[in-house]
Protein backbone atom coordinates (compact mmCIF):
# COMPACT_ATOMS: atom_id res chain seq x y z
CA UNK A 1 0.00 0.00 0.00
CA UNK A 2 2.65 2.44 1.10
CA UNK A 3 4.89 1.84 -1.92
CA UNK A 4 1.97 2.04 -4.35
CA UNK A 5 1.00 5.39 -2.85
CA UNK A 6 4.57 6.63 -3.18
CA UNK A 7 4.64 5.69 -6.85
CA UNK A 8 1.84 8.15 -7.54
CA UNK A 9 3.02 11.72 -7.81
CA UNK A 10 1.28 13.72 -5.09
CA UNK A 11 -1.33 16.03 -6.54
CA UNK A 12 0.25 19.02 -4.83
CA UNK A 13 3.45 18.50 -6.74
CA UNK A 14 1.57 18.15 -9.99
CA UNK A 15 -0.60 21.19 -9.76
CA UNK A 16 1.01 23.65 -7.43
CA UNK A 17 4.39 25.22 -6.88
CA UNK A 18 6.45 23.94 -3.99
CA UNK A 19 4.86 24.51 -0.64
CA UNK A 20 1.52 25.49 -2.09
CA UNK A 21 -1.84 24.08 -1.14
CA UNK A 22 -5.06 24.49 -3.09
CA UNK A 23 -6.18 28.10 -2.91
CA UNK A 24 -2.60 29.36 -2.83
CA UNK A 25 -1.20 31.11 -4.67
CA UNK A 26 -3.97 33.10 -6.25
CA UNK A 27 -4.29 36.55 -7.80
CA UNK A 28 -7.40 38.53 -8.69
CA UNK A 29 -7.67 41.78 -10.58
CA UNK A 30 -10.36 44.07 -11.88
CA UNK A 31 -11.66 44.24 -15.46
CA UNK A 32 -10.44 42.35 -18.50
CA UNK A 33 -7.05 44.04 -18.59
CA UNK A 34 -6.55 42.02 -15.40
CA UNK A 35 -5.80 38.94 -17.52
CA UNK A 36 -2.49 40.33 -18.80
CA UNK A 37 -1.66 41.81 -15.44
CA UNK A 38 -2.36 38.49 -13.74
CA UNK A 39 0.14 36.77 -16.04
CA UNK A 40 2.91 39.02 -14.78
CA UNK A 41 1.85 38.54 -11.18
CA UNK A 42 1.58 34.78 -11.64
CA UNK A 43 5.20 34.53 -12.82
CA UNK A 44 6.23 35.73 -9.38
CA UNK A 45 3.62 33.84 -7.39
CA UNK A 46 4.25 30.53 -9.12
CA UNK A 47 7.95 30.73 -8.36
CA UNK A 48 7.15 31.19 -4.68
CA UNK A 49 7.61 34.99 -4.75
CA UNK A 50 5.98 37.50 -2.44
CA UNK A 51 2.45 38.69 -3.06
CA UNK A 52 3.75 42.25 -2.70
CA UNK A 53 6.14 41.87 -5.63
CA UNK A 54 3.48 40.09 -7.64
CA UNK A 55 0.85 42.81 -7.33
CA UNK A 56 3.32 45.57 -8.17
CA UNK A 57 4.60 43.72 -11.24
CA UNK A 58 1.05 42.87 -12.28
CA UNK A 59 -0.46 46.34 -12.27
CA UNK A 60 2.62 47.82 -13.95
CA UNK A 61 1.61 45.99 -17.11
CA UNK A 62 -1.66 47.93 -17.24
CA UNK A 63 -0.03 51.21 -16.24
CA UNK A 64 2.36 51.00 -19.19
CA UNK A 65 -0.25 50.03 -21.79
CA UNK A 66 -1.26 53.09 -23.86
CA UNK A 67 -4.26 51.23 -25.22
CA UNK A 68 -5.81 51.05 -21.78
CA UNK A 69 -7.43 54.47 -21.76
CA UNK A 70 -7.82 54.35 -18.10
CA UNK A 71 -4.76 53.50 -16.09
CA UNK A 72 -1.37 55.22 -16.23
CA UNK A 73 0.06 55.99 -19.68
CA UNK A 74 -2.72 56.82 -22.15
CA UNK A 75 -5.25 57.36 -19.37
CA UNK A 76 -8.08 59.82 -19.94
CA UNK A 77 -7.13 63.20 -18.54
CA UNK A 78 -8.94 65.50 -16.16
CA UNK A 79 -11.01 68.35 -17.61
CA UNK A 80 -7.89 70.51 -17.92
CA UNK A 81 -6.26 67.90 -20.12
CA UNK A 82 -3.89 66.69 -17.42
CA UNK A 83 -3.35 63.00 -16.72
CA UNK A 84 -3.28 62.73 -12.94
CA UNK A 85 -2.68 59.37 -11.36
CA UNK A 86 -3.70 57.79 -8.05
CA UNK A 87 -2.21 54.57 -6.64
CA UNK A 88 -1.65 52.68 -3.44
CA UNK A 89 -0.08 49.48 -2.22
CA UNK A 90 -0.41 47.46 1.01
CA UNK A 91 1.50 44.41 2.20
CA UNK A 92 1.15 41.64 4.76
CA UNK A 93 2.77 43.70 7.52
CA UNK A 94 0.22 46.51 7.03
CA UNK A 95 2.91 48.60 5.39
CA UNK A 96 1.21 51.14 3.17
CA UNK A 97 2.21 53.67 0.53
CA UNK A 98 0.18 55.93 -1.69
CA UNK A 99 0.36 58.73 -4.22
CA UNK A 100 -2.45 60.93 -5.45
CA UNK A 101 -2.77 63.44 -8.28
CA UNK A 102 0.67 62.45 -9.51
CA UNK A 103 1.53 63.63 -13.03
CA UNK A 104 4.10 62.58 -15.63
CA UNK A 105 5.16 59.28 -14.10
CA UNK A 106 4.45 56.02 -15.89
CA UNK A 107 4.40 53.81 -12.79
CA UNK A 108 2.63 55.47 -9.88
CA UNK A 109 2.39 52.10 -8.13
CA UNK A 110 6.16 51.94 -7.85
CA UNK A 111 6.24 55.49 -6.50
CA UNK A 112 3.62 54.40 -3.94
CA UNK A 113 5.86 51.50 -3.00
CA UNK A 114 8.82 53.86 -2.63
CA UNK A 115 6.70 56.09 -0.36
CA UNK A 116 6.01 52.98 1.70
CA UNK A 117 9.59 51.80 1.86
CA UNK A 118 11.64 54.97 1.80
CA UNK A 119 9.73 57.70 3.61
CA UNK A 120 8.33 58.13 7.11
CA UNK A 121 4.94 58.89 5.49
CA UNK A 122 2.18 56.91 3.84
CA UNK A 123 0.85 59.31 1.23
CA UNK A 124 2.31 61.99 -1.06
CA UNK A 125 0.25 64.11 -3.42
CA UNK A 126 0.64 66.36 -6.46
CA UNK A 127 3.93 68.22 -6.85
CA UNK A 128 5.34 66.68 -3.68
CA UNK A 129 4.73 63.20 -5.05
CA UNK A 130 6.32 64.20 -8.37
CA UNK A 131 9.43 65.70 -6.71
CA UNK A 132 9.80 62.58 -4.61
CA UNK A 133 9.44 60.35 -7.67
CA UNK A 134 12.09 62.32 -9.55
CA UNK A 135 14.41 62.12 -6.54
CA UNK A 136 14.02 58.35 -6.69
CA UNK A 137 15.08 58.21 -10.33
CA UNK A 138 11.64 57.94 -11.96
CA UNK A 139 11.58 59.68 -15.35
CA UNK A 140 9.25 62.51 -16.27
CA UNK A 141 7.12 61.69 -19.32
CA UNK A 142 4.14 62.96 -21.22
CA UNK A 143 1.32 60.52 -20.45
CA UNK A 144 -1.36 62.10 -22.62
CA UNK A 145 -1.56 60.08 -25.81
CA UNK A 146 -3.09 61.38 -29.04
CA UNK A 147 -6.31 59.34 -28.82
CA UNK A 148 -6.91 60.45 -25.23
CA UNK A 149 -6.22 64.06 -26.13
CA UNK A 150 -8.59 63.88 -29.09
CA UNK A 151 -11.39 62.42 -26.98
CA UNK A 152 -10.84 65.05 -24.31
CA UNK A 153 -11.10 67.83 -26.90
CA UNK A 154 -14.38 66.34 -28.10
CA UNK A 155 -15.58 66.17 -24.50
CA UNK A 156 -14.71 69.86 -24.07
CA UNK A 157 -17.25 70.87 -26.69
CA UNK A 158 -20.03 69.99 -24.21
CA UNK A 159 -18.02 69.77 -21.00
CA UNK A 160 -20.68 67.64 -19.38
CA UNK A 161 -19.44 65.58 -16.44
CA UNK A 162 -21.62 62.50 -16.51
CA UNK A 163 -19.24 59.55 -16.32
CA UNK A 164 -20.52 56.71 -18.47
CA UNK A 165 -21.02 53.67 -16.30
CA UNK A 166 -18.55 50.85 -17.10
CA UNK A 167 -16.75 53.02 -19.69
CA UNK A 168 -15.44 56.29 -18.36
CA UNK A 169 -15.35 54.82 -14.90
CA UNK A 170 -13.67 51.67 -16.12
CA UNK A 171 -10.54 53.19 -14.87
CA UNK A 172 -8.79 51.18 -12.29
CA UNK A 173 -6.79 48.08 -11.89
CA UNK A 174 -7.07 46.74 -8.38
CA UNK A 175 -5.12 43.56 -7.74
CA UNK A 176 -5.01 41.36 -4.65
CA UNK A 177 -2.90 38.24 -4.19
CA UNK A 178 -2.20 35.43 -1.75
CA UNK A 179 1.24 33.90 -2.09
CA UNK A 180 2.47 30.34 -1.38
CA UNK A 181 3.44 31.39 2.12
CA UNK A 182 -0.13 32.44 2.78
CA UNK A 183 0.63 36.16 2.80
CA UNK A 184 -1.62 38.76 1.23
CA UNK A 185 -0.89 42.04 -0.54
CA UNK A 186 -2.73 44.42 -2.83
CA UNK A 187 -2.19 47.25 -5.30
CA UNK A 188 -4.57 49.69 -6.89
CA UNK A 189 -3.76 52.21 -9.64
CA UNK A 190 -5.79 54.51 -11.86
CA UNK A 191 -6.02 57.67 -13.86
CA UNK A 192 -9.30 58.23 -12.04
CA UNK A 193 -12.63 59.32 -13.41
CA UNK A 194 -12.27 60.77 -16.88
CA UNK A 195 -12.70 64.56 -17.01
CA UNK A 196 -12.74 64.92 -13.24
CA UNK A 197 -11.97 68.35 -11.76
CA UNK A 198 -8.26 69.01 -11.55
CA UNK A 199 -7.13 67.92 -8.09
CA UNK A 200 -9.95 65.44 -7.59
CA UNK A 201 -8.79 62.32 -5.79
CA UNK A 202 -10.81 59.12 -5.88
CA UNK A 203 -10.87 56.04 -3.71
CA UNK A 204 -8.01 54.24 -5.43
CA UNK A 205 -5.09 55.78 -3.50
CA UNK A 206 -6.97 55.75 -0.20
CA UNK A 207 -6.13 52.82 2.00
CA UNK A 208 -9.40 51.43 3.34
CA UNK A 209 -11.41 52.76 0.40
CA UNK A 210 -9.84 51.51 -2.85
CA UNK A 211 -7.76 48.81 -1.18
CA UNK A 212 -7.35 47.06 2.12
CA UNK A 213 -5.33 44.08 3.27
CA UNK A 214 -5.40 42.39 6.65
CA UNK A 215 -3.02 39.48 6.58
CA UNK A 216 -5.03 37.62 9.23
CA UNK A 217 -8.28 37.88 7.32
CA UNK A 218 -8.20 38.80 3.64
CA UNK A 219 -7.87 41.53 1.06
CA UNK A 220 -10.27 43.61 -1.01
CA UNK A 221 -10.11 46.24 -3.72
CA UNK A 222 -12.63 48.39 -5.53
CA UNK A 223 -13.38 49.90 -8.90
CA UNK A 224 -16.01 52.32 -10.10
CA UNK A 225 -17.26 55.63 -8.70
CA UNK A 226 -14.66 56.48 -6.12
CA UNK A 227 -16.89 58.93 -4.28
CA UNK A 228 -19.30 56.10 -3.46
CA UNK A 229 -16.51 53.78 -2.37
CA UNK A 230 -15.02 56.40 -0.07
CA UNK A 231 -18.45 57.10 1.44
CA UNK A 232 -18.56 53.59 2.90
CA UNK A 233 -14.79 53.03 3.40
CA UNK A 234 -15.45 50.17 0.98
CA UNK A 235 -12.46 47.86 0.93
CA UNK A 236 -11.96 48.05 4.67
CA UNK A 237 -15.63 47.26 5.12
CA UNK A 238 -15.32 44.18 2.90
CA UNK A 239 -12.37 42.91 4.94
CA UNK A 240 -14.22 43.56 8.22
CA UNK A 241 -17.23 41.64 6.93
CA UNK A 242 -14.95 38.72 6.10
CA UNK A 243 -13.58 38.98 9.65
CA UNK A 244 -17.14 38.50 10.86
CA UNK A 245 -17.28 35.23 8.94
CA UNK A 246 -18.81 36.29 5.63
CA UNK A 247 -17.55 34.68 2.45
CA UNK A 248 -15.69 37.03 0.09
CA UNK A 249 -18.72 37.23 -2.21
CA UNK A 250 -21.18 37.91 0.64
CA UNK A 251 -18.84 40.54 2.07
CA UNK A 252 -18.66 42.31 -1.30
CA UNK A 253 -22.42 42.05 -1.64
CA UNK A 254 -23.06 43.58 1.76
CA UNK A 255 -20.71 46.46 0.98
CA UNK A 256 -22.58 47.07 -2.28
CA UNK A 257 -25.87 47.00 -0.35
CA UNK A 258 -24.56 49.86 1.81
CA UNK A 259 -23.99 51.85 -1.36
CA UNK A 260 -27.49 50.98 -2.51
CA UNK A 261 -29.02 52.09 0.81
CA UNK A 262 -27.04 55.31 0.92
CA UNK A 263 -27.80 56.21 -2.67
CA UNK A 264 -31.53 55.83 -1.91
CA UNK A 265 -31.18 58.13 1.09
CA UNK A 266 -29.31 60.65 -1.03
CA UNK A 267 -31.77 60.40 -3.92
CA UNK A 268 -29.00 59.38 -6.24
CA UNK A 269 -29.86 57.31 -9.29
CA UNK A 270 -28.22 53.91 -8.93
CA UNK A 271 -28.28 53.50 -12.72
CA UNK A 272 -25.59 56.18 -12.85
CA UNK A 273 -23.38 54.36 -10.38
CA UNK A 274 -21.10 51.42 -10.82
CA UNK A 275 -18.97 50.03 -8.04
CA UNK A 276 -17.44 46.58 -8.01
CA UNK A 277 -15.51 44.92 -5.21
CA UNK A 278 -13.29 41.87 -5.43
CA UNK A 279 -12.02 40.00 -2.38
CA UNK A 280 -9.98 37.00 -1.27
CA UNK A 281 -9.74 35.51 2.18
CA UNK A 282 -6.81 33.89 3.90
CA UNK A 283 -7.84 30.46 2.58
CA UNK A 284 -7.71 31.64 -1.01
CA UNK A 285 -11.49 31.69 -1.41
CA UNK A 286 -12.54 34.61 -3.56
CA UNK A 287 -15.60 36.49 -4.69
CA UNK A 288 -17.00 39.71 -6.04
CA UNK A 289 -20.19 41.73 -6.32
CA UNK A 290 -21.12 44.94 -8.09
CA UNK A 291 -23.92 47.47 -8.38
CA UNK A 292 -24.86 46.68 -11.96
CA UNK A 293 -24.00 44.49 -14.90
CA UNK A 294 -20.85 45.15 -16.86
CA UNK A 295 -18.08 44.54 -14.37
CA UNK A 296 -15.83 41.50 -14.59
CA UNK A 297 -12.56 40.43 -13.03
CA UNK A 298 -9.66 38.15 -13.78
CA UNK A 299 -8.58 35.24 -11.57
CA UNK A 300 -5.36 33.30 -11.85
CA UNK A 301 -4.77 30.27 -9.68
CA UNK A 302 -3.35 26.82 -10.35
CA UNK A 303 -6.31 26.13 -12.66
CA UNK A 304 -5.23 28.93 -14.98
CA UNK A 305 -6.09 32.52 -15.83
CA UNK A 306 -9.70 33.37 -16.63
CA UNK A 307 -12.40 36.00 -16.43
CA UNK A 308 -15.21 35.79 -13.90
CA UNK A 309 -18.47 37.70 -13.84
CA UNK A 310 -19.88 38.68 -10.48
CA UNK A 311 -23.53 38.86 -9.54
CA UNK A 312 -24.95 42.37 -9.28
CA UNK A 313 -27.75 44.29 -7.56
CA UNK A 314 -29.54 46.18 -10.34
CA UNK A 315 -31.20 43.54 -12.48
C1 LIG B 1 -11.91 56.61 -9.20
N1 LIG B 1 -12.34 54.33 -8.62
O1 LIG B 1 -11.03 57.40 -9.46
C2 LIG B 1 -11.70 55.18 -9.58
C3 LIG B 1 -12.17 54.97 -10.97
C4 LIG B 1 -12.45 53.55 -11.31
O2 LIG B 1 -13.20 51.94 -12.67
O3 LIG B 1 -12.26 52.65 -10.61
N2 LIG B 1 -12.97 53.22 -12.40
O4 LIG B 1 -12.96 56.93 -8.66
Amino acid sequence: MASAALAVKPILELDFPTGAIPGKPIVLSTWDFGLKANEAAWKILSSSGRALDAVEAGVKITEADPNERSVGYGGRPDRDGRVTLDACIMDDFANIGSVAALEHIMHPISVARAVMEKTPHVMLVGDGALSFALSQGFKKQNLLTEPSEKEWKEWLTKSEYKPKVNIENHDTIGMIALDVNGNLSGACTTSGMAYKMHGRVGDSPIIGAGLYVDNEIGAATATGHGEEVIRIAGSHLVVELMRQGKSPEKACQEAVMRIVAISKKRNQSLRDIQVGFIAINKKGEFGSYCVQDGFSYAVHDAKGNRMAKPDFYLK
Side-chain angles (χ1 to χ4, degrees), residues 31 169-172 190 192-193 200 202-204 223-226:
W31 303 106
N169 74 339
H170 173 159
D171 270 358
T172 298
T190 187
M193 302 295 275
R200 178 265 188 190
D203 60 315
S204 306
T223 181
H225 287 84

Side-chain angles (χ1 to χ4, degrees), residues 30-31 33 86 167-173 188 190-194 196 200-205 210 222-227 229-230 274:
T30 53
W31 303 106
F33 45 48
D86 295 341
I167 300 175
E168 280 163 10
N169 74 339
H170 173 159
D171 270 358
T172 298
I173 182 155
C188 188
T190 187
S191 50
M193 302 295 275
K196 59 192 176 185
R200 178 265 188 190
V201 172
D203 60 315
S204 306
T223 181
H225 287 84
E227 284 75 6
V229 179
I230 294 171
Q274 176 65 301

Side-chain angles (χ1 to χ4, degrees), residues 53-104:
D53 295 323
V55 294
E56 182 190 8
V59 302
K60 280 175 79 172
I61 299 292
T62 323
E63 284 182 339
D65 189 342
N67 299 319
E68 295 307 350
R69 311 286 301 288
S70 55
V71 179
Y73 180 45
R76 293 189 177 90
D78 65 19
R79 60 189 62 175
D80 298 348
R82 296 162 75 160
V83 180
T84 65
L85 306 174
D86 295 341
C88 74
I89 194 157
M90 183 163 190
D91 75 5
D92 46 317
F93 294 98
N95 291 314
I96 53 179
S98 159
V99 289
L102 171 64
E103 291 181 75
H104 308 302

Side-chain angles (χ1 to χ4, degrees), residues 74-197:
R76 293 189 177 90
D78 65 19
R79 60 189 62 175
D80 298 348
R82 296 162 75 160
V83 180
T84 65
L85 306 174
D86 295 341
C88 74
I89 194 157
M90 183 163 190
D91 75 5
D92 46 317
F93 294 98
N95 291 314
I96 53 179
S98 159
V99 289
L102 171 64
E103 291 181 75
H104 308 302
I105 301 290
M106 172 89 75
H107 290 300
I109 198 65
S110 300
V111 184
R113 184 166 177 175
V115 171
M116 172 171 101
E117 291 177 341
K118 299 185 178 158
T119 78
H121 308 305
V122 299
M123 187 168 198
L124 292 177
V125 307
D127 285 349
L130 177 60
S131 309
F132 170 69
L134 297 176
S135 78
Q136 296 297 305
F138 290 89
K139 295 281 165 286
K140 198 167 173 177
Q141 285 172 262
N142 174 26
L143 302 179
L144 185 63
T145 54
E146 254 176 54
S148 280
E149 186 172 8
K150 190 165 166 262
E151 250 186 37
W152 163 63
K153 286 190 171 147
E154 280 159 18
W155 178 84
L156 278 179
T157 59
K158 285 201 184 139
S159 296
E160 227 182 9
Y161 185 68
K162 278 197 185 156
K164 288 185 203 120
V165 160
N166 296 323
I167 300 175
E168 280 163 10
N169 74 339
H170 173 159
D171 270 358
T172 298
I173 182 155
M175 177 179 271
I176 45 182
L178 178 69
D179 63 30
V180 287
N181 296 313
N183 291 319
L184 291 155
S185 287
C188 188
T189 176
T190 187
S191 50
M193 302 295 275
Y195 320 128
K196 59 192 176 185
M197 289 170 70

